[in-house]
Amino acid sequence: MFKRLYAFHAGSEYCSNCVFDTQSADPAGISEIPYFFYLIEHSNGFVAFDTGVNLDLIRDMRSYLGPHAQDWKIYVRPNDDVRSQLGKIGVDIKDVKTVVLSHLHYDHAGGMNLFENAVFLVQRDEWGFALNPPGAQQNSYVRSEYDVPAGRLRLIDGEFDIFGDGTLILVPTPGHTKGHQSLLIAGRTSSYILAADAAYVPDLADIPRLPVASLIWSKEALIESRMNLRRLRDRYNANVICTHDTDFRNSLNLAPAFYT
Ligand SMILES: [Zn+2]
């Protein structure tokens, strides 16, 4: 049974509006693009959705990411790592046994190595893509982040019900990357969709508003994924939560507050 959902804001980057929306009315304006990860409390245990940035990026992002760090104007605080953030709500990261990766970009996979006891749920398509990312996508992947023991990696093919009770369902949403996935949380009273990078505005009104080419694996797949998310939202009357929602300070309850 689904009990609680926590949303952790852990770092941001500042970039021109045209990066995430090439049709922006104010293309040169600068927006704060937040980084998020989430913790779900389920009667079968804790499930993390994404893991934030790496401790080494927090310590010295230029030597960690190279010159891109400067281009991307990333701001992180010393305690923005997933272990510190979970500690703030009294959760020991060792007690999190299941971690879902929406995809393996550095702002989502950076904290994987801090989960000592978890199994990582990654779409098989994402795994293959991340081992050999094409073109500009290479800048967003850091191989060492997902260099996890094979026994703790579970590759998923398509839709997957994590605990088999219909409450936490992985939904493939390719487009941003080849194996991107989102998570449907079907609660008894409320439902949520953690869209990650499949959409950037929670009302999903942005279907044709695409980011720049370096943030897209397949335009067609991204549009189809957004249409799938709309159908899912309508079927479950779900609230959609987007990782990089620029309006997050108004639209989200941030941890230690939570959703039920
Ligand atoms: Zn992202």
Side-chain angles (χ1 to χ4, degrees), residues 13-33 71-72 200 206 208-216 222 226 244 246:
E13 62 188 60
Y14 290 80
C15 63
S16 312
N17 294 330
C18 60
V19 173
F20 282 81
D21 177 6
T22 46
Q23 296 177 43
S24 170
D26 177 20
I30 302 291
S31 290
E32 179 185 9
I33 305 292
D71 299 345
W72 293 344
Y200 298 118
D206 66 342
R209 299 177 81 92
L210 300 174
V212 293
S214 59
L215 294 180
I216 299 179
L222 183 59
R226 287 176 174 181
H244 301 306
T246 54

Side-chain angles (χ1 to χ4, degrees), residues 114-146:
L114 298 174
F115 289 88
E116 294 170 33
N117 298 319
V119 169
F120 300 102
L121 307 184
V122 181
Q123 287 287 330
R124 190 181 304 276
D125 280 346
E126 180 64 15
W127 188 252
F129 190 74
L131 293 181
N132 194 13
Q137 286 268 356
Q138 286 169 21
N139 296 337
S140 296
Y141 286 95
V142 179
R143 178 68 185 93
S144 56
E145 291 181 348
Y146 40 96

Side-chain angles (χ1 to χ4, degrees), residues 4-240:
R4 290 179 176 185
L5 165 67
Y6 293 90
F8 295 88
H9 172 221
S12 294
E13 62 188 60
Y14 290 80
C15 63
S16 312
N17 294 330
C18 60
V19 173
F20 282 81
D21 177 6
T22 46
Q23 296 177 43
S24 170
D26 177 20
I30 302 291
S31 290
E32 179 185 9
I33 305 292
Y35 295 165
F36 269 90
F37 48 79
Y38 309 87
L39 186 76
I40 296 129
E41 201 180 325
H42 183 281
S43 46
N44 287 15
F46 291 114
V47 177
F49 182 85
D50 286 339
T51 67
V53 296
N54 193 270
L55 273 175
D56 288 337
L57 181 151
I58 292 173
R59 288 185 193 115
D60 181 358
M61 73 181 72
R62 271 193 213 181
S63 58
Y64 188 74
L65 286 178
H68 316 297
Q70 207 167 352
D71 299 345
W72 293 344
K73 296 193 170 48
I74 299 167
Y75 291 87
V76 282
R77 298 161 298 185
N79 64 356
D80 273 340
D81 66 282
V82 62
R83 184 169 54 201
S84 303
Q85 292 291 318
L86 294 183
K88 283 184 175 177
I89 59 161
V91 172
D92 185 335
I93 198 164
K94 293 193 181 79
D95 295 332
V96 179
K97 305 285 170 56
T98 307
V99 177
V100 173
L101 279 309
S102 64
H103 61 304
L104 294 167
H105 281 174
Y106 74 89
D107 53 322
H108 300 260
M112 286 174 73
N113 65 331
L114 298 174
F115 289 88
E116 294 170 33
N117 298 319
V119 169
F120 300 102
L121 307 184
V122 181
Q123 287 287 330
R124 190 181 304 276
D125 280 346
E126 180 64 15
W127 188 252
F129 190 74
L131 293 181
N132 194 13
Q137 286 268 356
Q138 286 169 21
N139 296 337
S140 296
Y141 286 95
V142 179
R143 178 68 185 93
S144 56
E145 291 181 348
Y146 40 96
D147 193 15
V148 294
R152 295 210 285 124
L153 178 66
R154 182 157 182 198
L155 297 180
I156 307 292
D157 295 294
E159 208 168 286
F160 180 69
D161 183 342
I162 295 177
F163 293 127
D165 66 352
T167 63
L168 300 178
I169 299 172
L170 299 178
V171 180
T173 44
H176 176 57
T177 66
K178 190 174 182 188
H180 189 281
Q181 61 183 345
S182 302
L183 177 66
L184 168 69
I185 302 170
R188 274 204 289 207
T189 51
S190 301
S191 295
Y192 306 90
I193 293 170
L194 301 181
D197 277 57
Y200 298 118
V201 290
D203 64 3
L204 299 180
D206 66 342
I207 283 183
R209 299 177 81 92
L210 300 174
V212 293
S214 59
L215 294 180
I216 299 179
W217 162 68
S218 161
K219 197 164 90 175
E220 293 73 22
L222 183 59
I223 290 171
E224 181 60 32
S225 290
R226 287 176 174 181
M227 292 186 343
N228 280 341
L229 285 181
R230 269 196 189 174
R231 285 190 280 271
L232 207 58
R233 174 197 64 186
D234 295 345
R235 192 158 100 217
Y236 286 87
N237 193 23
N239 302 295
V240 177

